[in-house]
Amino acid sequence: MDSITIDTINPKVLKCEYAVRGEIVTIAQKLQQDLKDNPGSHPFDEILYCNIGNPQSLAQQPITFFREVLALCDHPSILDKSETQGLFSADAIERAFQILDQIPGRATGAYSHSQGIKGLRDTIASGIEARDGFPADPNDLFLTDGASPAVHMMMQLLIRSENDGILCPIPQYPLYSASIALHGGTLVPYYLDEQTGWGLEISELEHQLNTAKSNGIDVRALVVINPGNPTGQVLGEANQREIVEFCKKEGLVLLADEVYQENVYVPDKKFHSFKKITRSMGYGEKDISLVSFQSVSKGFYGECGKRGGYMEITGFSPEVREQIYKLASVNLCSNISGQILASLVMSPPKVGDESYESFSAEKEAVLSSLARRAQALQDALNSLEGVTCNRAEGAMYLFPRINLPDKAIKAAEEAKTAPDAFYAKLLLNATGIVVVPGSGFRQVPGTWHFRCTILPQEEKIPAIVSRLTEFHKKFMDEFCG
Amino acid sequence: MDSITIDTINPKVLKCEYAVRGEIVTIAQKLQQDLKDNPGSHPFDEILYCNIGNPQSLAQQPITFFREVLALCDHPSILDKSETQGLFSADAIERAFQILDQIPGRATGAYSHSQGIKGLRDTIASGIEARDGFPADPNDLFLTDGASPAVHMMMQLLIRSENDGILCPIPQYPLYSASIALHGGTLVPYYLDEQTGWGLEISELEHQLNTAKSNGIDVRALVVINPGNPTGQVLGEANQREIVEFCKKEGLVLLADEVYQENVYVPDKKFHSFKKITRSMGYGEKDISLVSFQSVSKGFYGECGKRGGYMEITGFSPEVREQIYKLASVNLCSNISGQILASLVMSPPKVGDESYESFSAEKEAVLSSLARRAQALQDALNSLEGVTCNRAEGAMYLFPRINLPDKAIKAAEEAKTAPDAFYAKLLLNATGIVVVPGSGFRQVPGTWHFRCTILPQEEKIPAIVSRLTEFHKKFMDEFCG
């Protein structure tokens, strides 16, 4: 009998794609090894990763207060020692004591409740209330290892077959297309309008919903990513209200990816959670099923490696909630350090706390620098021939459109690669800059983009700008002829 | 249009069961709240959790060295401070420096390689080599948030439809039945022989494989849990060789759950990894597809809340490995603290290290106490009328068989509950002792069991024994009449 081959594995796995860690990254890793083994072997001396929202891999420093508390909770037996007061801030020590008191038996190494430690959920619920001005229930919170497992859990719950559809923005973060493919559902695309700064039009939602219905698709949920990934837009309040009305009218679960809620860079935009919007419209549990995803990986903290996050679920029947609880239980619980960090992120130091000033300075330094980097990269991209780029109002990305010359598109066809992947590979080989081709996020057919993070260290931005500019000029010279 | 109801969610989710956190635990939590609100309201003053392998929730202390290293890696900026040397052992400080050097950019808050940090995988691979005496390749390792996500990943890869079967021991750890149900496959049971100490007979494997085949099931893999959960047996070397031959002959992937590899309590048994067994038989990559699961949650460390673990995969084609890599990539990476802990577990302090003696003392204290607790509970269970219990050679559980009187079985039928769940509920309500009914793990039809961990604090064992004995006597008096 034969063993397992590529032809006999689950075809849903084969179908799933995840561009953020795709071929371009593999090439980049090889180039990096090359540079290490043979310095000077390429026309650049380092790989500049602009492909993934991973701030600390690019030298962003963790928030001191958060790490102090995590360290103390990892090794509580030092809490009473005198040396500890010399090493840690007083409010970090106090917070660690509070958190330990919230953990049954102070057992930081025990599995927790399947939804996460109750006391930490209480803290997070208070943080949500402070953010929104509306009540939050700790029993609505499910703490997860980053936001990704929460998204999978909801897709697993909602998708029964390929006849079940999930409305997703295009361009989208490929977790959604990957998760829908793995669970055997159908991604129902709705296109964001690049002309209006990646606007989300209700008429487009209606059109795509009706098209899907007429194709026999039972559309179950609408994914909204706000602030947008890879597109960087921040939704306006009026637009959010329209989206809520649409979901309510159509009986769709609103899956709100709000992991970039702290990443807003423009004074004319503000983050509003969909929970706040629905409640401010007077809608409650009976009116709409809403899931909000949050993560410790983004914001000004960028603690991707800690794998903390949560989802807040409202508007589900007790029977359905029980099923979600069961899904959470099969994996026992999320990691406790991530749970603690999620509570810290939603309840940071306050005015008067010893760490407040240094915390605020660290936070402000990260966010203002990100805003400057976004602006600099955006300006540079918009100055390139045939490139237009909406502003990064929020999140961590720019998603410029490249009007590729026909000759480049033909060359890509000959190389059996998508034209934007062709561009991204040439860019990488010429400059060491790693971006993700737009085709990995999907896009309006016939348009080409790439996603570029705003995360490289600020002092490296000028080099990125000049290398990119030089490359692009040569590229256009070569393929416009 | 209607929103999501219990009738419109994914039926695979409905079908999935996970008894370890089922109804009995919910009742126990209510009783615990009751005891807190109204002390003296029940005939016991505390809930004694014997339902789940969660050592630190029952006051087992973490291994000091491991926690020192974790704390230092969480807050590396204290590494150079003089106070740190007063608080942490020298080898913990040294190890933290080594680990930080293994992490690209020393970024403990960054997403890692999808398989886990390469340097940590090198350490784990060395630990596997030292354990087995055969080479291990860091590229074969996938670090995961505990073992559960690794099991799901393999089920997701292998199961295409309900016509795909996975051979699982009965009784089994319900993660397997849950994961197979969630991925839409068929659990093909093979029964462990209770008479021979939960023996695994090849004739039974052959019989069940052939039965499944004749029912049109394509059996893809064999799950072996060694040491056994919930059954506590440790496989003999000769038996393991037979299992390897069977998988090789039948082209089955061998999924080896080896998370209890450090939990062996009897002098006549020893843990051998299936990797070591296959290699010692002269079989390599071409001969058999083998996956070994390991976790930081078990052993003498019991770090359940840290969610660390790995799987070692060998004998898969490059194309299939690429698909496994893609699945890992969709979730980005496992949590870094869990990754670090997995490396520590596979590479603990060595003779000559400052922490070696205290580490060894802590390890020995946990393991010898677990052995004594296993013996005491096993003796007590075997002294009960109508109860027989195989020894816990390893793992953390006893799985006694109860010969329930007909009258009890009838009473259970009237209460619309399985007879062993009926027994477990009465036990809980009378004594506060929480066990998991055997029906949650499946068992030979018509036989009844429960799973009882050996984890309650040693000083509580006498009380558990006397309460259980008293309850059982009353139960038999009531239902034998």
Side-chain angles (χ1 to χ4, degrees):
Chain A
M1 199 169 166
D2 281 338
S3 200
I4 301 306
T5 70
I6 195 77
D7 300 320
T8 65
I9 67 165
N10 180 357
K12 291 174 193 161
V13 172
L14 280 178
K15 207 180 155 194
C16 154
E17 287 179 4
Y18 190 68
V20 174
R21 296 210 165 179
E23 191 198 356
I24 301 269
V25 181
T26 309
I27 301 173
Q29 285 164 347
K30 277 183 196 145
L31 285 172
Q32 188 162 26
Q33 194 58 45
D34 240 24
L35 286 173
K36 202 174 155 194
D37 299 342
N38 306 299
S41 56
H42 293 277
F44 43 85
D45 55 6
E46 64 172 329
I47 301 295
L48 293 157
Y49 287 98
C50 304
N51 60 308
I52 188 164
N54 193 9
Q56 294 192 30
S57 73
L58 299 171
Q60 183 177 308
Q61 292 305 299
I63 298 293
T64 306
F65 176 80
F66 293 170
R67 290 304 190 97
E68 286 183 329
V69 177
L70 287 182
L72 291 167
C73 290
D74 264 343
H75 193 39
S77 60
I78 64 171
L79 271 167
D80 294 318
K81 304 262 174 79
S82 59
E83 292 98 329
T84 302
Q85 287 166 35
L87 285 176
F88 294 86
S89 62
D91 53 341
I93 295 172
E94 195 190 328
R95 183 68 77 98
F97 272 117
Q98 280 170 14
I99 289 171
L100 289 169
D101 285 342
Q102 291 174 321
I103 300 178
R106 295 186 149 214
T108 55
Y111 293 128
S112 72
H113 186 284
S114 304
Q115 291 183 233
I117 291 162
K118 174 62 166 56
L120 299 178
R121 284 187 280 130
D122 290 340
T123 305
I124 294 171
S126 302
I128 295 172
E129 285 182 12
R131 182 194 68 193
D132 292 346
F134 291 96
D137 185 340
N139 295 321
D140 293 342
L141 299 175
F142 286 74
L143 274 58
T144 48
D145 293 309
S148 304
V151 170
H152 286 308
M153 219 187 287
M154 290 312 302
M155 295 302 173
Q156 189 155 45
L157 185 83
L158 294 172
I159 296 172
R160 295 162 296 186
S161 75
E162 60 189 1
N163 294 326
D164 282 336
I166 309 289
L167 271 161
C168 285
I170 300 297
Q172 51 101 37
Y173 175 51
L175 168 65
Y176 294 98
S177 50
S179 188
I180 293 167
L182 285 174
H183 293 102
T186 294
L187 187 152
V188 178
Y190 65 91
Y191 290 91
L192 301 174
D193 183 7
E194 187 163 12
Q195 302 298 321
T196 59
W198 300 112
L200 196 168
E201 299 296 331
I202 302 301
S203 56
E204 167 69 3
L205 291 180
E206 280 165 351
H207 166 66
Q208 297 292 356
L209 176 68
N210 292 330
T211 305
K213 278 183 184 171
S214 67
N215 290 328
I217 301 295
D218 185 352
V219 180
R220 317 217 73 202
L222 170 71
V223 173
V224 178
I225 310 174
N226 179 44
N229 175 5
T231 40
Q233 84 286 16
V234 177
L235 293 176
E237 222 177 320
N239 197 187
Q240 287 186 271
R241 273 190 232 109
E242 292 176 322
I243 295 165
V244 169
E245 287 293 2
F246 174 77
C247 288
K248 180 174 183 297
K249 190 180 88 188
E250 303 292 350
L252 300 178
V253 178
L254 176 50
L255 300 173
D257 181 334
E258 300 181 325
V259 302
Y260 295 100
Q261 56 188 263
E262 305 256 22
N263 299 93
V264 179
Y265 309 115
V266 291
D268 56 319
K269 288 288 181 81
K270 200 172 169 317
F271 170 78
H272 302 283
S273 78
F274 271 104
K275 171 94 175 303
K276 173 182 169 183
I277 297 291
T278 55
R279 296 301 178 263
S280 68
M281 293 167 78
Y283 294 146
E285 285 283 333
K286 300 279 176 208
D287 301 299
I288 184 167
S289 303
L290 170 64
V291 183
S292 165
F293 302 102
Q294 165 66 321
S295 166
V296 305
S297 304
K298 310 302 171 186
F300 54 91
Y301 20 92
E303 291 278 16
C304 303
K306 295 295 174 186
R307 312 309 287 126
Y310 69 79
M311 61 176 179
E312 183 188 15
I313 64 163
T314 54
F316 289 88
S317 70
E319 296 77 27
V320 173
R321 294 172 65 106
E322 209 175 283
Q323 298 299 317
I324 301 173
Y325 176 79
K326 186 174 67 183
L327 282 178
S329 295
V330 174
N331 285 331
L332 299 159
C333 68
S334 62
N335 84 86
I336 305 298
S337 295
Q339 292 190 25
I340 292 170
L341 192 47
S343 82
L344 296 174
V345 155
M346 298 306 286
S347 176
K350 287 175 185 54
V351 182
D353 294 346
E354 183 184 307
S355 294
Y356 179 73
E357 280 190 32
S358 60
F359 165 78
S360 300
E362 288 176 11
K363 172 180 172 176
E364 174 55 22
V366 170
L367 290 175
S368 61
S369 170
L370 286 174
R372 287 192 299 272
R373 287 179 256 174
Q375 190 67 53
L377 286 169
Q378 176 185 312
D379 291 347
L381 287 162
N382 277 313
S383 74
L384 302 179
E385 184 193 347
V387 173
T388 52
C389 183
N390 282 317
R391 60 182 189 159
E393 299 171 340
M396 295 179 171
Y397 315 100
L398 291 160
F399 198 66
R401 177 171 174 181
I402 353 168
N403 292 303
L404 291 170
D406 289 345
K407 207 170 145 188
I409 292 172
K410 268 190 197 131
E413 267 166 26
E414 276 160 30
K416 288 183 183 163
T417 182
D420 48 13
F422 178 76
Y423 180 91
K425 274 186 222 173
L426 288 185
L427 174 66
L428 171 57
N429 283 313
T431 66
I433 298 171
V434 192
V435 298
V436 186
S439 40
F441 305 89
R442 307 199 188 179
Q443 52 202 345
V444 171
T447 70
W448 309 108
H449 300 78
F450 60 84
R451 187 183 81 167
C452 176
T453 73
I454 59 171
L455 296 175
Q457 288 163 271
E458 200 163 355
E459 61 268 31
K460 296 195 174 169
I461 300 289
I464 292 176
V465 166
S466 65
R467 286 195 212 172
L468 174 65
T469 306
E470 190 189 350
F471 163 79
H472 188 79
K473 196 175 172 326
K474 278 191 193 157
F475 179 92
M476 294 304 268
D477 285 351
E478 182 176 348
F479 291 102
C480 280
Chain B
M1 200 169 166
D2 282 337
S3 200
I4 300 307
T5 71
I6 195 78
D7 301 319
T8 64
I9 66 167
N10 180 358
K12 290 174 194 162
V13 172
L14 280 178
K15 207 179 156 194
C16 154
E17 287 178 5
Y18 190 69
V20 174
R21 296 210 165 178
E23 192 197 354
I24 301 269
V25 181
T26 309
I27 301 173
Q29 284 164 348
K30 278 184 195 143
L31 287 172
Q32 188 163 25
Q33 194 57 46
D34 240 25
L35 286 173
K36 203 176 153 192
D37 300 341
N38 305 299
S41 57
H42 293 279
F44 44 85
D45 55 6
E46 65 172 330
I47 301 295
L48 293 158
Y49 287 98
C50 304
N51 60 306
I52 188 164
N54 193 8
Q56 294 192 29
S57 73
L58 300 171
Q60 183 177 309
Q61 292 306 299
I63 298 293
T64 306
F65 176 80
F66 293 170
R67 291 304 192 98
E68 287 183 328
V69 177
L70 288 183
L72 291 167
C73 291
D74 263 344
H75 194 38
S77 60
I78 64 171
L79 271 167
D80 293 319
K81 304 262 175 79
S82 60
E83 293 97 330
T84 301
Q85 287 166 34
L87 285 175
F88 295 86
S89 62
D91 54 339
I93 295 172
E94 193 189 331
R95 183 69 75 99
F97 272 117
Q98 280 170 15
I99 289 171
L100 289 169
D101 285 343
Q102 290 174 322
I103 301 178
R106 296 187 149 213
T108 55
Y111 293 129
S112 71
H113 186 284
S114 304
Q115 290 182 235
I117 292 161
K118 173 63 166 55
L120 300 177
R121 285 187 278 130
D122 290 340
T123 305
I124 294 171
S126 302
I128 294 171
E129 285 183 12
R131 181 193 70 195
D132 292 345
F134 290 96
D137 184 340
N139 294 321
D140 292 344
L141 299 174
F142 286 73
L143 274 59
T144 49
D145 293 309
S148 303
V151 171
H152 286 308
M153 219 186 289
M154 291 311 302
M155 294 302 174
Q156 189 155 45
L157 185 83
L158 294 172
I159 296 172
R160 294 161 297 185
S161 76
E162 60 189 2
N163 294 325
D164 282 335
I166 309 289
L167 270 162
C168 284
I170 300 296
Q172 51 103 36
Y173 175 50
L175 167 66
Y176 293 98
S177 49
S179 189
I180 293 167
L182 285 174
H183 292 101
T186 294
L187 186 152
V188 178
Y190 67 90
Y191 290 91
L192 300 174
D193 184 8
E194 188 163 10
Q195 303 297 323
T196 57
W198 301 113
L200 197 168
E201 299 295 332
I202 302 301
S203 56
E204 167 70 2
L205 291 180
E206 281 166 349
H207 166 66
Q208 297 292 356
L209 176 67
N210 291 330
T211 306
K213 278 185 186 171
S214 67
N215 290 328
I217 301 294
D218 185 352
V219 179
R220 316 216 74 200
L222 169 72
V223 172
V224 178
I225 310 175
N226 180 44
N229 176 5
T231 41
Q233 83 286 16
V234 176
L235 293 177
E237 222 176 320
N239 197 187
Q240 287 185 273
R241 272 190 232 108
E242 291 177 323
I243 295 165
V244 169
E245 287 292 3
F246 174 78
C247 288
K248 182 175 181 299
K249 189 179 90 189
E250 303 292 349
L252 300 177
V253 178
L254 176 49
L255 300 173
D257 180 335
E258 301 182 325
V259 302
Y260 295 100
Q261 57 189 265
E262 306 257 22
N263 299 95
V264 178
Y265 308 115
V266 292
D268 56 320
K269 288 288 181 83
K270 200 171 169 317
F271 169 78
H272 303 282
S273 78
F274 271 103
K275 171 95 176 302
K276 173 182 167 182
I277 298 291
T278 53
R279 296 301 177 263
S280 68
M281 293 168 78
Y283 294 146
E285 285 284 331
K286 301 279 175 208
D287 301 299
I288 183 166
S289 303
L290 170 64
V291 184
S292 165
F293 302 103
Q294 164 68 320
S295 167
V296 304
S297 303
K298 310 302 171 187
F300 55 89
Y301 21 92
E303 291 278 15
C304 303
K306 294 296 175 188
R307 313 310 286 125
Y310 69 79
M311 61 176 179
E312 183 188 16
I313 63 163
T314 54
F316 290 87
S317 70
E319 295 77 27
V320 173
R321 294 173 65 108
E322 208 175 284
Q323 297 299 317
I324 300 173
Y325 176 79
K326 186 174 66 183
L327 282 178
S329 295
V330 174
N331 285 332
L332 299 160
C333 67
S334 62
N335 83 87
I336 305 297
S337 294
Q339 292 190 25
I340 292 171
L341 193 47
S343 81
L344 295 174
V345 154
M346 298 306 287
S347 176
K350 287 175 184 57
V351 182
D353 294 346
E354 182 184 307
S355 294
Y356 179 72
E357 280 190 30
S358 60
F359 165 79
S360 300
E362 288 176 12
K363 171 179 172 175
E364 173 55 22
V366 169
L367 290 175
S368 61
S369 171
L370 285 175
R372 288 192 298 272
R373 287 179 257 175
Q375 189 67 53
L377 286 169
Q378 176 186 312
D379 291 347
L381 287 162
N382 277 315
S383 75
L384 301 180
E385 183 193 348
V387 174
T388 52
C389 184
N390 281 319
R391 60 182 189 159
E393 298 172 339
M396 295 178 171
Y397 314 101
L398 290 160
F399 199 65
R401 177 172 175 178
I402 353 167
N403 292 303
L404 291 171
D406 288 345
K407 207 171 145 188
I409 291 171
K410 271 190 194 132
E413 267 166 25
E414 278 161 29
K416 289 182 181 162
T417 182
D420 48 13
F422 178 76
Y423 181 91
K425 275 187 222 174
L426 288 184
L427 174 66
L428 171 58
N429 283 314
T431 65
I433 298 170
V434 192
V435 299
V436 185
S439 40
F441 305 89
R442 307 198 188 181
Q443 51 202 344
V444 170
T447 70
W448 308 108
H449 301 77
F450 61 84
R451 188 184 81 167
C452 177
T453 72
I454 58 171
L455 296 175
Q457 289 162 268
E458 198 163 355
E459 60 268 32
K460 295 195 174 170
I461 300 289
I464 292 176
V465 166
S466 66
R467 287 196 211 173
L468 174 65
T469 305
E470 190 190 349
F471 163 80
H472 188 78
K473 198 178 170 322
K474 277 191 194 157
F475 180 92
M476 294 305 267
D477 286 350
E478 183 177 347
F479 290 102
C480 280

